Amino acid sequence: MKKILIMCGSYIPAKKSGGPLTSTLNVVNALCNEYDFYIIAYDHDFGEKQRFLGIKEGWNKVGNASVYYAKDSELEFNRNGFNKIINDVMPSTIWVSGIFWPSYILPIWKITKEHHIRFIISPRGELCEGALSTKRYKKIPYIIITRLLGVYKSNVLFHSTSIEETKCIQKYLNVTPDRIINVKNIPSINQINRSDYEKKKNELKIVFISRIQEKKNLLFAIEVVNQLKCNVIFDIYGPIENKIYWEKCLEEIKKSPNNIQIEYKNELSPIDVSETFSKYHCFFFPTKSENYGHVIPEALFAGCPVILSAETTPWDSIDGKAGYIAKLYNHSKFVNILNKIADLDEEGFRKLSIRCQNFVKDNVNIKEEIEGHKKLFDYDF
């Protein structure tokens, strides 16, 4: 079988890396009978220092992949270190998750050119406008330098998950269309047989599950929820990536009126996400940018309606079917949407919840996405 070497930063048992980890894990599980997967990841979770328990030096068998857990800076700008790993594995393809990894992309780029190894980069939405606006002063110079070096020419193939991302890859990296493969991520399929549709009029249980950082826009979500007049429970799950941003969120939570209860519930293990969604009336996620947004189909599979910012995810088609969308920062529109769900009784909510599960089953084509990844790994250019 062909061997695929993946550089993804984080891999299980990590819990704090969100969508990119889920994307990698789902590909490995879906295609493990057709490819041998080898993964390079950090030996600790995001924002942590403690090494994962139970891992050993060298390769570890983890689920359906072999994983090399590297120490901080072990492989940064370390061409010899990567050469050793690549000579050990002898992959047909090296796949890097993320674009802003100069300490890894530059040495891998040179090695793949020398050994004629297929090199795939998945930007994971980092070039989309909403994501690029954060720390733009650092990202644009990096893009310019790597373009001047010729990093994105010749043997590099790009994986895009949406039309918007394809346009951004072409715009910022000057990549020709023949070197961009548009393939949606493989979602997590864990449909819950939801039985709890309990819902009274004028009450709402809202959930937010994502990393806590500026791009995910939790602060805006809190500001909107604080304007509601109905009885609200708003629970927040996710790793705190940006402590300064979280402090701003806490300040807004302090302003909550008596009818609003907002509570931070810590981070979730990936295996608990679907079950958690099934306990709420809606998932409020006014994100600034998602190239896919794994939590969105996870919520829908669990029968949890989704409220999204418009034109920031590939899921605008849910509007009025399995949830609602509104333009980013339109407080009044989001308030109206939440009030509409709050006004539902148990029977009304049950019908909406079932529509969510039907919608995602009709709009997620797992076979097509699996075949797309096979095309990505086998593409000749």
Side-chain angles (χ1 to χ4, degrees):
M1 289 195 292
K2 290 182 178 179
K3 296 177 179 179
I4 313 295
L5 178 62
I6 305 174
M7 177 69 209
C8 60
S10 292
Y11 199 66
I12 51 176
K15 297 193 296 184
K16 299 182 178 182
S17 296
L21 187 157
T22 303
S23 297
T24 303
L25 181 62
N26 290 352
V27 169
V28 169
N29 289 339
L31 292 168
C32 60
N33 292 325
E34 300 188 50
Y35 303 91
D36 283 333
F37 289 102
Y38 294 79
I39 294 169
I40 302 173
Y42 287 122
D43 66 354
H44 55 83
D45 214 336
F46 182 88
E48 303 287 341
K49 295 295 182 184
Q50 184 177 350
R51 186 173 168 86
F52 292 129
L53 297 175
I55 62 173
K56 62 183 181 181
E57 299 298 324
W59 295 102
N60 295 254
K61 187 63 178 176
V62 181
N64 294 311
S66 296
V67 185
Y68 183 99
Y69 292 103
K71 301 176 180 67
D72 274 343
S73 75
E74 178 182 344
L75 296 173
E76 289 184 359
F77 296 107
N78 186 350
R79 190 169 171 181
N80 290 335
F82 275 114
N83 251 326
K84 184 177 183 302
I85 291 173
I86 290 166
N87 287 332
D88 183 28
V89 175
M90 295 300 292
S92 62
T93 298
I94 297 178
W95 185 17
V96 174
S97 185
I99 191 72
F100 296 109
W101 290 69
S103 56
Y104 301 102
I105 284 179
L106 294 178
I108 290 174
W109 165 61
K110 291 180 179 178
I111 292 169
T112 54
K113 281 183 68 177
E114 291 172 1
H115 295 280
H116 304 288
I117 297 171
R118 184 184 291 104
F119 184 18
I120 301 172
I121 297 178
S122 292
R124 300 296 181 202
E126 292 176 345
L127 292 172
C128 295
E129 299 298 341
L132 201 59
S133 63
T134 303
K135 296 185 179 178
R136 191 180 182 89
Y137 64 94
K138 287 185 178 181
K139 294 175 180 178
I140 296 300
Y142 168 74
I143 289 171
I144 293 170
I145 291 169
T146 49
R147 278 182 57 172
L148 290 173
L149 289 172
V151 172
Y152 309 120
K153 295 181 178 179
S154 65
N155 68 319
V156 182
L157 183 68
F158 283 87
H159 168 219
S160 166
T161 59
S162 66
I163 294 172
E164 180 205 358
E165 188 169 34
T166 297
K167 290 178 180 177
C168 290
I169 292 170
Q170 291 177 295
K171 174 182 176 180
Y172 289 107
L173 305 184
N174 195 30
V175 174
T176 55
D178 61 302
R179 288 193 296 110
I180 304 173
I181 302 293
N182 193 328
V183 181
K184 290 181 180 178
N185 288 319
I186 299 172
S188 302
I189 299 181
N190 185 21
Q191 181 164 335
I192 300 295
N193 292 321
R194 181 167 186 159
S195 57
D196 179 11
Y197 300 105
E198 185 178 343
K199 173 79 173 63
K200 296 178 182 177
K201 283 195 172 191
N202 202 39
E203 71 168 23
L204 196 56
K205 292 173 66 177
I206 307 170
V207 68
F208 177 96
I209 302 178
S210 190
R211 291 172 290 147
I212 295 173
Q213 46 128 290
E214 189 175 353
K215 190 183 89 163
K216 305 300 182 178
N217 218 12
L218 172 62
L219 178 59
F220 172 76
I222 296 168
E223 290 171 350
V224 169
V225 170
N226 276 347
Q227 295 181 47
L228 297 173
K229 304 302 181 186
C230 57
N231 295 317
V232 176
I233 292 174
F234 183 22
D235 289 338
I236 299 164
Y237 298 84
I240 299 170
E241 284 191 8
N242 187 326
K243 292 183 179 179
I244 295 175
Y245 182 76
W246 176 236
E247 288 297 327
K248 293 179 182 178
C249 293
L250 289 174
E251 288 301 314
E252 190 63 28
I253 290 171
K254 290 177 183 177
K255 301 176 186 177
S256 299
N258 292 334
N259 61 303
I260 309 291
Q261 298 179 42
I262 303 179
E263 187 175 351
Y264 176 60
K265 298 283 192 174
N266 221 318
E267 63 243 21
L268 282 172
S269 169
I271 63 173
D272 295 326
V273 171
S274 294
E275 187 67 38
T276 301
F277 273 129
S278 71
K279 299 174 182 177
Y280 292 89
H281 300 137
C282 64
F283 170 37
F284 188 15
F285 192 43
T287 177
K288 294 181 181 179
S289 177
E290 300 294 321
N291 72 312
Y292 184 73
H294 280 282
V295 284
I296 298 168
E298 283 187 276
L300 296 175
F301 274 120
C304 183
V306 176
I307 301 168
L308 301 172
S309 41
E311 300 173 5
T312 63
T313 79
W315 296 92
D316 281 7
S317 59
I318 69 158
D319 195 29
K321 302 168 187 173
Y324 302 92
I325 65 171
K327 287 285 188 180
L328 203 58
Y329 299 120
N330 187 338
H331 285 75
S332 60
K333 179 68 179 293
F334 280 112
V335 168
N336 289 339
I337 289 170
L338 289 168
N339 280 330
K340 183 181 293 187
I341 298 177
D343 195 48
L344 294 174
D345 59 12
E346 185 168 317
E347 179 60 17
F349 175 72
R350 187 185 68 82
K351 290 179 180 178
L352 176 58
S353 179
I354 292 171
R355 288 209 309 270
C356 291
Q357 292 184 316
N358 290 337
F359 173 88
V360 72
K361 284 188 288 185
D362 291 342
N363 286 273
V364 171
N365 189 333
I366 302 298
K367 289 183 179 179
E368 183 178 299
E369 285 140 16
I370 289 173
E371 288 302 314
H373 280 82
K374 289 164 65 174
K375 178 182 177 182
L376 185 69
F377 296 144
D378 298 336
Y379 188 77
D380 287 322
F381 60 98

